[in-house]
Structures are given as structure tokens and as C-alpha cells.
Amino acid sequence: MPIRFQFRLIPFIVMLLLVALGLSLAQWQQRRADEKIARAARLQAGNLAAPLALRAAPMLPQDAQAIEYRRVTVTGHFVPAWTIYLDNRPYRGQAGFHVLTPFQIEGSNMHVLVAQGWLPRNNADRSRIADYSTPSGTVTVQGVARLTAGHVMQLGTAARLAPQAIVQNADIGQLAQASGLAFQPLLIEQTSPQSATLPVRDWPAPDLGADKHRGYAFQWYALALTAFLFFVFTGCRRAKKSV
């Protein structure tokens, strides 16, 4: 017995739109998953490689991208006068700040931004910063190269970048403009020398989550397939009823 099908233009257009939407979003989620798989591979390679000595020669953005997640070392001295504090950075359920301090590379006027670690917030006085120590004189720090300090939702109007400012987010380019200092286009999440007190240097691993994006991709593929099968089913059902 031949299979009958009754074609209707509007359901056909709706089906095409849903299929196109599902396939487009599924492929986007798949690309996100591939990006995070590549990031995980770079992170693993960076952990296994010997630390890279960061030099004063200006880096291009693509050079910084090439060494993201790489362990690096740099020698010079901190410029604590231009320390800024990133707000809304919780650690183990406790509110606090990330401490960002410019670091002048030895024998040059070039700086790199160093994330020294985490400080707890004073709940009674939000503007009060816990006591901590920034080394003086020439030191060598080691850490992991990152392109940004991360971004959180901005609450209210962004505060102007100034020495000792408490801000939600900070861009290296903005800090360079505000301070007049020359910066490499990356920052270092400091891991050593270790500190027995504050700030805490226990950086969270990057959010990779490739499996989550694969799951979303499967759901969008399923939507596209469901839309197509529903169109075929209803077309066959209408044809059967019309006989």
C-alpha cells in the first residue's frame, strides 16, 4: 500500500525554520565544545612544559594567546602604588577580592599585571582591605599566563580605575591608560613563592565543560529531527484522513 502524504506550505516553512534553527544552534554548541577541548589540551601542555621566562620585549596579542595557560616566570619588582582589587570574587563560599598589582620587568619600563591572590572581604566595612604583604625589591615570581582576570556582572556604574580602587572588572588596556604604565597583553596568576598568610593563591581551574556543550548540541539536533518527523507524520495523517 503506497504511503500518502498531504503537503501544506505553512507547516513546511515552519518545519524548515525549526530545522535550520536547531542545526545552527547545535553546530554553535559543538564549536564551543571543540574550543574547550582545545583549551584543555593547551592547559595540559602548559602544565607539563617547563616555565617560560617572560621578557620585556613588547608582545603582540597573538603572542600572548599562544602562551595562555603556560607556566611563566618573571623577574623584577612590584609597583604596589597601582594595586587594584577585583570585587565579587568568592573563595570557598566566602566573599572577597582578587589582588592585581603591576610588576615592572627587570631592566625595563615594561610591566606585567600580576594577580597576587585572594583576600577576604570585611563584612562590616567593605572598603577595608585585609592586611597582606607584597614583596619589595627584586623578586622572581612564577605563575600561569592568562589573557584576562575574568569578568563578573557589573553592579551599577563602573568605578574609575585609580590606585587602590575596588572595582568589579579591570581590563589591562584600561589600566595601562589610567596609570600611564606600559603593560604586556596578559596577566600572571601567581603561584609562587607561596605565602603562609594572605593573599591566598589557590586559583580555580578554568571552566572547561565540553560535555555540557555536547549535551546542548544533542538537544538542538533532537529539536531539528523532531520538527522534521512531526511534519512528515502530520502530512501522512492528513492524507489518510482525506481518503
PDB file of all heavy atoms in Angstrom, residues 5 23 31 73 86 103 108 114 119 125 170 174 205 240:
ATOM      1  N   PHE A   5       0.884  11.330   1.314  1.00  0.00           N
ATOM      2  CA  PHE A   5       1.370  12.495   2.062  1.00  0.00           C
ATOM      3  C   PHE A   5       0.684  13.745   1.518  1.00  0.00           C
ATOM      4  O   PHE A   5       0.626  13.951   0.295  1.00  0.00           O
ATOM      5  CB  PHE A   5       2.888  12.638   1.924  1.00  0.00           C
ATOM      6  CG  PHE A   5       3.466  13.815   2.679  1.00  0.00           C
ATOM      7  CD1 PHE A   5       3.760  13.710   4.028  1.00  0.00           C
ATOM      8  CD2 PHE A   5       3.712  15.018   2.034  1.00  0.00           C
ATOM      9  CE1 PHE A   5       4.285  14.783   4.728  1.00  0.00           C
ATOM     10  CE2 PHE A   5       4.230  16.099   2.724  1.00  0.00           C
ATOM     11  CZ  PHE A   5       4.530  15.980   4.074  1.00  0.00           C
ATOM     12  N   LEU A  23      19.753  23.072  13.767  1.00  0.00           N
ATOM     13  CA  LEU A  23      21.071  22.726  13.247  1.00  0.00           C
ATOM     14  C   LEU A  23      22.083  23.835  13.520  1.00  0.00           C
ATOM     15  O   LEU A  23      23.235  23.563  13.866  1.00  0.00           O
ATOM     16  CB  LEU A  23      20.981  22.459  11.742  1.00  0.00           C
ATOM     17  CG  LEU A  23      20.193  21.211  11.326  1.00  0.00           C
ATOM     18  CD1 LEU A  23      20.142  21.097   9.810  1.00  0.00           C
ATOM     19  CD2 LEU A  23      20.813  19.953  11.935  1.00  0.00           C
ATOM     20  N   ARG A  31      30.887  23.790  18.264  1.00  0.00           N
ATOM     21  CA  ARG A  31      32.115  24.600  18.162  1.00  0.00           C
ATOM     22  C   ARG A  31      32.593  25.027  19.539  1.00  0.00           C
ATOM     23  O   ARG A  31      33.801  25.052  19.811  1.00  0.00           O
ATOM     24  CB  ARG A  31      31.867  25.821  17.274  1.00  0.00           C
ATOM     25  CG  ARG A  31      31.722  25.498  15.796  1.00  0.00           C
ATOM     26  CD  ARG A  31      31.801  26.753  14.939  1.00  0.00           C
ATOM     27  NE  ARG A  31      30.717  27.682  15.215  1.00  0.00           N
ATOM     28  CZ  ARG A  31      29.541  27.657  14.588  1.00  0.00           C
ATOM     29  NH1 ARG A  31      29.310  26.751  13.652  1.00  0.00           N
ATOM     30  NH2 ARG A  31      28.601  28.546  14.891  1.00  0.00           N
ATOM     31  N   THR A  73      57.710  32.587  34.344  1.00  0.00           N
ATOM     32  CA  THR A  73      58.423  33.259  35.424  1.00  0.00           C
ATOM     33  C   THR A  73      58.808  34.649  34.944  1.00  0.00           C
ATOM     34  O   THR A  73      58.978  34.871  33.735  1.00  0.00           O
ATOM     35  CB  THR A  73      59.700  32.499  35.844  1.00  0.00           C
ATOM     36  OG1 THR A  73      60.611  32.462  34.734  1.00  0.00           O
ATOM     37  CG2 THR A  73      59.385  31.089  36.293  1.00  0.00           C
ATOM     38  N   LEU A  86      39.740  43.406  42.687  1.00  0.00           N
ATOM     39  CA  LEU A  86      38.547  42.962  41.974  1.00  0.00           C
ATOM     40  C   LEU A  86      37.538  42.412  42.973  1.00  0.00           C
ATOM     41  O   LEU A  86      37.818  41.441  43.687  1.00  0.00           O
ATOM     42  CB  LEU A  86      38.897  41.887  40.946  1.00  0.00           C
ATOM     43  CG  LEU A  86      39.851  42.284  39.814  1.00  0.00           C
ATOM     44  CD1 LEU A  86      39.943  41.165  38.793  1.00  0.00           C
ATOM     45  CD2 LEU A  86      39.414  43.582  39.153  1.00  0.00           C
ATOM     46  N   PHE A 103      53.737  44.728  37.828  1.00  0.00           N
ATOM     47  CA  PHE A 103      55.064  44.199  38.132  1.00  0.00           C
ATOM     48  C   PHE A 103      56.000  44.689  37.045  1.00  0.00           C
ATOM     49  O   PHE A 103      55.813  44.367  35.864  1.00  0.00           O
ATOM     50  CB  PHE A 103      55.014  42.669  38.174  1.00  0.00           C
ATOM     51  CG  PHE A 103      56.282  42.000  38.631  1.00  0.00           C
ATOM     52  CD1 PHE A 103      56.484  41.731  39.974  1.00  0.00           C
ATOM     53  CD2 PHE A 103      57.259  41.627  37.717  1.00  0.00           C
ATOM     54  CE1 PHE A 103      57.643  41.105  40.403  1.00  0.00           C
ATOM     55  CE2 PHE A 103      58.419  40.997  38.132  1.00  0.00           C
ATOM     56  CZ  PHE A 103      58.614  40.731  39.483  1.00  0.00           C
ATOM     57  N   SER A 108      63.774  47.327  32.556  1.00  0.00           N
ATOM     58  CA  SER A 108      62.932  47.902  31.513  1.00  0.00           C
ATOM     59  C   SER A 108      61.831  48.753  32.137  1.00  0.00           C
ATOM     60  O   SER A 108      61.676  48.796  33.361  1.00  0.00           O
ATOM     61  CB  SER A 108      62.289  46.787  30.682  1.00  0.00           C
ATOM     62  OG  SER A 108      61.234  46.165  31.408  1.00  0.00           O
ATOM     63  N   VAL A 114      50.146  41.241  37.667  1.00  0.00           N
ATOM     64  CA  VAL A 114      50.228  40.003  38.452  1.00  0.00           C
ATOM     65  C   VAL A 114      49.024  39.927  39.385  1.00  0.00           C
ATOM     66  O   VAL A 114      48.767  40.859  40.162  1.00  0.00           O
ATOM     67  CB  VAL A 114      51.531  39.941  39.264  1.00  0.00           C
ATOM     68  CG1 VAL A 114      51.520  38.719  40.199  1.00  0.00           C
ATOM     69  CG2 VAL A 114      52.733  39.876  38.336  1.00  0.00           C
ATOM     70  N   LEU A 119      41.859  37.862  48.781  1.00  0.00           N
ATOM     71  CA  LEU A 119      41.709  38.404  50.126  1.00  0.00           C
ATOM     72  C   LEU A 119      40.248  38.335  50.553  1.00  0.00           C
ATOM     73  O   LEU A 119      39.352  38.564  49.728  1.00  0.00           O
ATOM     74  CB  LEU A 119      42.140  39.875  50.172  1.00  0.00           C
ATOM     75  CG  LEU A 119      43.597  40.214  49.880  1.00  0.00           C
ATOM     76  CD1 LEU A 119      43.771  41.730  49.895  1.00  0.00           C
ATOM     77  CD2 LEU A 119      44.520  39.556  50.896  1.00  0.00           C
ATOM     78  N   ASP A 125      32.957  46.504  56.930  1.00  0.00           N
ATOM     79  CA  ASP A 125      33.422  47.665  56.174  1.00  0.00           C
ATOM     80  C   ASP A 125      33.978  47.167  54.846  1.00  0.00           C
ATOM     81  O   ASP A 125      35.133  46.738  54.767  1.00  0.00           O
ATOM     82  CB  ASP A 125      34.489  48.428  56.963  1.00  0.00           C
ATOM     83  CG  ASP A 125      34.957  49.693  56.250  1.00  0.00           C
ATOM     84  OD1 ASP A 125      34.491  49.947  55.122  1.00  0.00           O
ATOM     85  OD2 ASP A 125      35.789  50.415  56.820  1.00  0.00           O
ATOM     86  N   ALA A 170      38.446  44.682  35.517  1.00  0.00           N
ATOM     87  CA  ALA A 170      39.559  45.522  35.099  1.00  0.00           C
ATOM     88  C   ALA A 170      40.160  44.959  33.827  1.00  0.00           C
ATOM     89  O   ALA A 170      40.456  43.761  33.746  1.00  0.00           O
ATOM     90  CB  ALA A 170      40.618  45.619  36.188  1.00  0.00           C
ATOM     91  N   GLN A 174      42.757  49.298  29.879  1.00  0.00           N
ATOM     92  CA  GLN A 174      42.232  50.404  30.672  1.00  0.00           C
ATOM     93  C   GLN A 174      43.192  50.781  31.794  1.00  0.00           C
ATOM     94  O   GLN A 174      43.393  51.961  32.089  1.00  0.00           O
ATOM     95  CB  GLN A 174      40.868  50.027  31.247  1.00  0.00           C
ATOM     96  CG  GLN A 174      39.780  49.850  30.206  1.00  0.00           C
ATOM     97  CD  GLN A 174      38.495  49.296  30.807  1.00  0.00           C
ATOM     98  OE1 GLN A 174      38.508  48.689  31.873  1.00  0.00           O
ATOM     99  NE2 GLN A 174      37.391  49.513  30.119  1.00  0.00           N
ATOM    100  N   ALA A 205      40.465  26.163  38.601  1.00  0.00           N
ATOM    101  CA  ALA A 205      40.767  25.689  37.244  1.00  0.00           C
ATOM    102  C   ALA A 205      39.817  26.352  36.258  1.00  0.00           C
ATOM    103  O   ALA A 205      38.673  26.656  36.600  1.00  0.00           O
ATOM    104  CB  ALA A 205      40.630  24.166  37.175  1.00  0.00           C
ATOM    105  N   LYS A 240      -4.208  10.471   5.097  1.00  0.00           N
ATOM    106  CA  LYS A 240      -5.000   9.282   5.442  1.00  0.00           C
ATOM    107  C   LYS A 240      -6.428   9.665   5.749  1.00  0.00           C
ATOM    108  O   LYS A 240      -7.378   8.969   5.361  1.00  0.00           O
ATOM    109  CB  LYS A 240      -4.346   8.582   6.638  1.00  0.00           C
ATOM    110  CG  LYS A 240      -5.027   7.268   7.000  1.00  0.00           C
ATOM    111  CD  LYS A 240      -4.275   6.582   8.145  1.00  0.00           C
ATOM    112  CE  LYS A 240      -4.944   5.274   8.508  1.00  0.00           C
ATOM    113  NZ  LYS A 240      -4.232   4.604   9.626  1.00  0.00           N
TER     114      LYS A 240
END
